[in-house]
Amino acid sequence: EIVLTQSPGTLSLSPGERATLSCRASQSVSSRHLAWYQQRPGQAPRLLIYDTSSRATGIPDRFSGSGSGTDFTLTISRLEPEDFAVYYCQQYHSPRGMFGQGTKVEIK
Amino acid sequence: QITLKESGPMLVKPTQTLTLTCTFSGFSSTTRGVGVGWVRQSPGQALEWLAIIYWDDNDRYSPSLRSRATLTRDTSKKQVVLTVTNMDPVDTGTYYCVLVTNGAFSIKRPYFAHWGQGTPVTVSS
């Protein structure tokens, strides 16, 4: 099974700064089969990125995804107040489609 | 507008059966590529998808549920029902109904395009 490790566990940044979140897979993942989700406190997760770099409907272009093989990145170019949340990656290359443990982006 | 709403008991006892209903709107569960399923978020654990039923009547279950889970679909009511037998305290968590839109092919590789608000379930005597 492909296991995902997200780093860092917590990222402390200020509004306006750039956030770079990492998701590393234990085995190679087809570049089409990696998604990112955002979960704000008290809310359900929301799809941000699918197929590594495609933004879901309504997602601002400050969110971008990249990567291939075993290393994937979610970048938030300039943090807005509503972006402070937990972010999860998910691979859907293998049948179990497992999620990472999450990275919390908190206000510094 | 796509919506998914979960309903069911908040508390079940160990060994009992859990039945959760997802009522959805804004799409058809028989449209090619569509799947409706469930993802669980347990305290201190990663998100985990549990089960999905697809437009072509194929269904998929997480190995972690083994043979305890069953999905049924009522297209006229626009509902999907998840039944999990022999509940255990480790099954405690928030259960989300989710929409899959990339299930058109025989090999299912789902990501979750839309989520319901979630319903908390506690398993305790």
Side-chain angles (χ1 to χ4, degrees):
Chain A
E1 186 54 64
I2 300 176
V3 176
L4 300 178
T5 301
Q6 293 187 240
S7 61
T10 302
L11 196 52
S12 298
L13 295 167
S14 301
E17 289 194 293
R18 181 184 187 90
T20 303
L21 287 66
S22 173
C23 177
R24 177 162 289 177
S26 60
Q27 305 171 41
S28 182
V29 174
S30 162
S31 64
R32 295 183 55 244
H33 300 147
L34 196 288
W36 290 91
Y37 302 84
Q38 175 195 64
Q39 187 173 30
R40 293 170 176 154
Q43 296 186 16
R46 173 176 72 144
L47 177 68
L48 297 175
I49 302 285
Y50 64 95
D51 291 353
T52 295
S53 59
S54 297
R55 275 187 299 276
T57 302
I59 301 303
D61 60 7
R62 64 179 181 273
F63 290 93
S64 63
S66 62
S68 65
T70 60
D71 290 306
F72 298 86
T73 300
L74 174 70
T75 301
I76 310 171
S77 59
R78 285 176 52 86
L79 283 164
E80 298 287 340
E82 63 267 28
D83 299 338
F84 291 92
V86 180
Y87 293 83
Y88 297 96
C89 58
Q90 180 223 350
Q91 64 82 12
Y92 44 101
H93 182 67
S94 66
R96 284 197 67 181
M98 295 178 73
F99 292 82
Q101 291 280 5
T103 290
K104 181 180 181 180
V105 179
E106 66 175 23
I107 300 176
K108 186 174 181 180
Chain B
Q1 181 188 4
I2 291 173
T3 65
L4 306 107
K5 187 171 176 63
E6 307 87 350
S7 58
M10 295 183 64
L11 178 66
V12 297
K13 291 180 167 50
T15 75
Q16 286 187 335
T17 294
L18 172 69
T19 300
L20 293 176
T21 300
C22 174
T23 304
F24 56 86
S25 64
F27 66 93
S28 170
S29 63
T30 57
T31 297
R32 180 181 174 85
V34 167
V36 179
W38 295 86
V39 171
R40 180 172 67 195
Q41 187 168 35
S42 298
Q45 302 295 316
L47 292 161
E48 177 186 20
W49 77 261
L50 302 178
I52 303 168
I53 185 164
Y54 289 95
W55 62 283
D56 53 3
D57 286 329
N58 277 292
D59 54 16
R60 299 287 187 272
Y61 297 91
S62 169
S64 68
L65 289 186
R66 297 189 181 95
S67 58
R68 297 192 295 133
T70 304
L71 276 178
T72 57
R73 180 174 63 173
D74 187 326
T75 54
S76 63
K77 290 183 178 179
K78 306 201 87 170
Q79 291 181 333
V80 168
V81 177
L82 172 70
T83 303
V84 183
T85 61
N86 195 23
M87 290 288 283
D88 184 273
V90 299
D91 295 314
T92 292
T94 297
Y95 287 70
Y96 294 99
C97 182
V98 291
L99 168 64
V100 172
T101 56
N102 68 325
F105 305 105
S106 58
I107 298 177
K108 308 299 188 189
R109 292 192 167 113
Y111 62 82
F112 308 105
H114 291 272
W115 299 60
Q117 64 189 20
T119 187
V121 177
T122 299
V123 184
S124 174
S125 55

